[in-house]
């Protein structure tokens, strides 16, 4: 019988947030059990969460330092940790666990600065740790289908990329907040020097990178704080130039009235165009030159092998965000099982977003902030 992995969590406390989605996804796969956690900066809330989740009281911790230290001394330590706290803790928490040799799954954006992100990569390599950055949309099966189609050359050479990601939830959050109860996303010391550009802009950069392999050479960005209550950007436009000569346009907003999570990508090649709508994430739209528009369904007979691997429900019965997280964890746990079995592990061969992708995301949002601060000029990602 295949044994199960053990994991711990930093963040994901009783107030909700994305932590409960990580846990639900891992339950869906049934390959790893939650055994340890520091779910909040307030130990009473950690205790409340740990009790609700049925954790051993010995394994509820006061902080990420406390957990990394004590787990490393146990005979049955965790196999990996999930970090799903506000952004400012990603780097120190990941560092604490990597230093003790633990595999890490971390929320995006990976860190505040590219230097911190590269330091985490060096540490992961030194201590032979696997590292996943949970860019969720890569877990949708149609994202993997899109990647397989691009690799097959169905679109030809990609020349133009258009990505939109409007949301409106931050409008209400900002309008209802007071100086003392500001959401962490509007505070630079907790969120980083970019807010929406790091939060949702990094997903936009990442999805295109994951599906096409294309990396951004330089950006020209305009960031703005629309409405009252925030010191940081909540609406942005970015022109991007890719290393292979393709160009793109990104618009993202967290104050666009009437939009939930309308992440929408168009990849335009010299043979065809592929469209992905996050809110209709069981389908892709393919437009080939001279042919009628095609609506491709997830998990169909004509799907590519790569995307068929993790089909959970028959086509037409929608899978969603929890399954996308679960697919990322299926890939990450596969790599951990292989590592434990002593097999060689090349992280690029598994379908989870790697630390290299996390680094690109951090370079992207920092270059955008630099571009905006310098008067909307072109800024290269690699200086
Ligand atoms: N991948 C995605 O699709 C996705 C979606 C939403 C959020 N996120 C990312 O997840 C992270 C968390 O976002 P959220 O919306 O869940 O935020 P949130 O504020 O709802 O939750 C943050 C959690 O971290 C806990 N926390 C805060 N300080 C802590 C500390 N010192 N030690 C331990 N726990 C602590 C809080 O108690 C809370 O439970 C962010 O980095 C965000 O960018 C990713």
């Amino acid at each position: 019988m295949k044994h199960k992995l053990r994991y711990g969590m930093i963040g994901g406390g009783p107030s909700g947030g994305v932590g409960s989605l990580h846990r639900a996804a891992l339950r869906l796969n049934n390959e790893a059990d939650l055994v340890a956690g520091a779910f909040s900066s307030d130990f009473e809330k950690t205790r409340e969460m740990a009790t609700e989740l049925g954790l051993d009281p010995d394994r509820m911790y006061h902080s990420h330092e406390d957990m990394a230290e004590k787990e490393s001394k146990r005979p049955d330590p965790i196999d990996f940790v999930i970090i799903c706290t506000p952004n400012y803790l990603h780097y120190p928490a990941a560092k604490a666990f990597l230093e003790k040799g633990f595999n890490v799954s971390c929320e995006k954006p990976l860190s505040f600065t590219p230097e911190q992100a590269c330091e985490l990569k060096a540490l992961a390599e030194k201590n032979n740790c696997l590292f996943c950055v949970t860019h969720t949309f890569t877990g949708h099966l149609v994202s993997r289908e899109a990647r397989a189609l691009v690799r097959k050359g169905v679109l030809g050479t990609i020349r133009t990329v258009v990505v939109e990601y409007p949301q409106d939830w931050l409008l209400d959050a900002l309008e209802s907040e007071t100086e003392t109860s500001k959401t962490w996303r509007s505070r630079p010391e907790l969120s980083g020097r970019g807010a929406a550009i790091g939060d949702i802009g990094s997903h936009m950069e990442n999805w295109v990178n994951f599906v096409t392999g294309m990396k951004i050479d330089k950006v020209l960005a305009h960031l703005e704080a629309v409405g009252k209550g925030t010191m940081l950007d909540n609406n942005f436009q970015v022109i991007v130039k890719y290393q292979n000569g393709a160009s793109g346009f990104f618009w993202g907003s967290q104050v666009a009235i009437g939009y939930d999570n309308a992440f929408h990508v168009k990849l335009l090649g010299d043979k065809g165009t592929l469209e992905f709508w996050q809110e209709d994430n069981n389908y892709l739209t393919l437009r080939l030159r001279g042919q009628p528009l095609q609506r491709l369904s997830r998990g169909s007979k004509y799907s590519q092998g790569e995307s068929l691997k993790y089909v959970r429900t028959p086509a037409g019965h929608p899978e969603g965000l929890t399954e996308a997280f679960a697919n990322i964890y299926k890939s990450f746990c596969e790599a951990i099982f292989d590592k434990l079995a002593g097999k060689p592990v090349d992280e690029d061969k598994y379908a989870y977003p790697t630390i290299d992708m996390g680094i690109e995301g951090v370079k992207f949002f920092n270059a955008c902030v630099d571009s905006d601060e310098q008067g909307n000029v072109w800024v290269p990602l690699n200086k």
Side-chain angles (χ1 to χ4, degrees):
M1 196 178 74
K2 188 168 159 182
H3 83 279
K4 278 168 101 178
L5 300 174
R6 294 178 290 267
Y7 76 97
M9 193 168 236
I10 304 295
S15 57
V18 80
S20 57
L21 265 176
H22 286 259
R23 291 192 290 266
L26 280 149
R27 278 189 215 111
L28 212 53
N29 290 344
N30 199 30
E31 290 182 327
D33 288 329
L34 177 66
V35 297
F39 301 106
S40 167
S41 54
D42 173 349
F43 187 66
E44 274 319 302
K45 288 191 179 155
T46 287
R47 194 199 303 278
E48 184 190 324
M49 195 76 238
T51 307
E52 187 186 320
L53 293 165
L55 258 60
D56 176 346
D58 279 355
R59 295 178 96 166
M60 22 178 123
Y61 296 103
H62 286 267
S63 65
H64 57 269
E65 295 99 333
D66 184 32
M67 180 161 141
E69 178 68 28
K70 292 189 177 138
E71 281 294 314
S72 71
K73 297 206 167 114
R74 291 186 66 98
D76 57 349
I78 52 171
D79 294 297
F80 66 99
V81 66
I82 296 176
I83 298 164
C84 49
T85 60
N87 301 349
Y88 80 105
L89 277 168
H90 295 176
Y91 164 74
K95 190 172 172 205
F97 282 93
L98 291 173
E99 278 170 346
K100 298 289 179 191
F102 289 108
N103 304 307
V104 174
S105 166
C106 186
E107 267 300 348
K108 40 50 60 174
L110 175 56
S111 59
F112 277 7
T113 67
E115 292 73 23
Q116 291 173 337
C118 291
E119 190 189 328
L120 293 178
K121 180 181 168 164
L123 202 49
E125 282 176 354
K126 180 172 159 234
N127 290 345
N128 189 28
C129 303
L130 303 178
F131 204 115
C132 167
V133 182
T134 45
H135 277 292
T136 329
F137 301 152
T138 63
H140 289 302
L141 289 191
V142 298
S143 301
R144 294 172 181 201
E145 177 72 7
R147 181 156 81 157
L149 291 171
V150 169
R151 285 180 176 172
K152 258 180 94 178
V154 170
L155 304 185
T157 303
I158 295 172
R159 294 165 164 166
T160 308
V161 172
V162 181
V163 193
E164 288 183 1
Y165 194 172
Q167 309 174 320
D168 72 0
W169 71 276
L170 204 53
L171 195 63
D172 293 337
L174 291 172
E175 283 180 355
S176 64
E177 74 185 11
T178 63
E179 240 348 274
T180 47
S181 74
K182 269 189 179 303
T183 159
W184 63 261
R185 281 178 168 84
S186 65
R187 294 170 59 181
E189 71 278 20
L190 304 182
S191 183
R193 60 197 286 254
I197 193 69
D199 194 9
I200 57 175
S202 64
H203 276 310
M204 300 161 89
E205 177 280 329
N206 171 261
W207 196 90
V208 177
N209 180 351
F210 179 84
V211 169
T212 69
M214 284 165 27
K215 287 189 174 180
I216 294 175
D217 177 29
K218 57 184 179 179
V219 297
L220 191 158
H222 175 241
L223 313 183
E224 55 193 349
V226 175
K228 61 172 189 168
T230 182
M231 303 149 75
L232 291 168
D233 60 287
N234 52 28
N235 188 71
F236 59 84
Q237 299 93 17
V238 186
I239 304 173
V240 305
K241 196 80 189 158
Y242 285 92
Q243 290 173 1
N244 68 353
S247 56
F249 177 71
F250 295 4
W251 166 56
S253 181
Q254 294 182 306
V255 291
I257 293 173
Y259 289 96
D260 295 331
N261 261 292
F263 180 79
H264 179 205
V265 186
K266 292 179 196 149
L267 301 176
L268 299 105
D270 60 6
K271 290 188 185 158
T273 297
L274 196 66
E275 276 184 64
F276 168 62
W277 288 87
Q278 202 285 135
E279 292 185 351
D280 189 21
N281 59 49
N282 284 246
Y283 298 92
L284 282 173
T285 303
L286 179 62
R287 300 161 196 272
L288 295 177
R289 189 168 178 172
Q291 292 186 29
L293 178 150
Q294 297 178 44
R295 184 165 155 85
L296 308 180
S297 171
R298 169 193 66 74
S300 292
K301 288 194 189 80
Y302 50 76
S303 300
Q304 313 299 307
E306 184 177 335
S307 78
L308 282 173
K309 196 169 163 193
Y310 302 135
V311 170
R312 294 160 194 275
T313 56
H317 294 303
E319 293 180 1
L321 198 68
T322 310
E323 285 87 351
F325 264 110
N327 294 335
I328 290 173
Y329 278 117
K330 194 97 186 145
S331 306
F332 189 51
C333 290
E334 190 182 344
I336 296 175
F337 279 124
D338 283 351
K339 178 181 158 186
L340 290 173
K343 295 185 192 162
V345 175
D346 175 356
E347 286 195 277
D348 289 331
K349 300 233 164 75
Y350 299 83
Y352 61 85
T354 60
I355 194 161
D356 283 329
M357 291 183 191
I359 293 172
E360 285 304 303
V362 176
K363 285 183 181 172
F364 167 74
F365 85 78
N366 274 280
C368 290
V369 178
D370 287 343
S371 168
D372 186 65
E373 284 178 357
Q374 292 166 26
N376 316 109
V377 296
W378 284 103
V379 171
L381 262 60
N382 294 300
K383 287 161 195 149

